Amino acid sequence: MANSQDIKPNEKTYDSFISMLKWATPLIAVLVLIVLVIIS
């Protein structure tokens, strides 16, 4: 089992990863859309 001391830093890392993913996903979608418009 995980030690309770290890959970706090992992939660912080997870939270920062999720918040970065919330910004990265729409940004990548917009970039892909721009590339598709340029190609077509």
Side-chain angles (χ1 to χ4, degrees):
M1 290 299 287
N3 198 350
S4 62
Q5 290 178 323
D6 297 337
I7 291 175
K8 286 293 181 191
N10 290 343
E11 283 179 345
K12 186 172 181 176
T13 303
Y14 176 77
D15 287 340
S16 64
F17 172 74
I18 292 299
S19 64
M20 184 177 66
L21 199 64
K22 286 179 186 175
W23 284 102
T25 303
L27 184 64
I28 291 170
V30 168
L31 289 174
V32 167
L33 188 65
I34 291 171
V35 169
L36 288 176
V37 167
I38 290 173
I39 289 175
S40 63

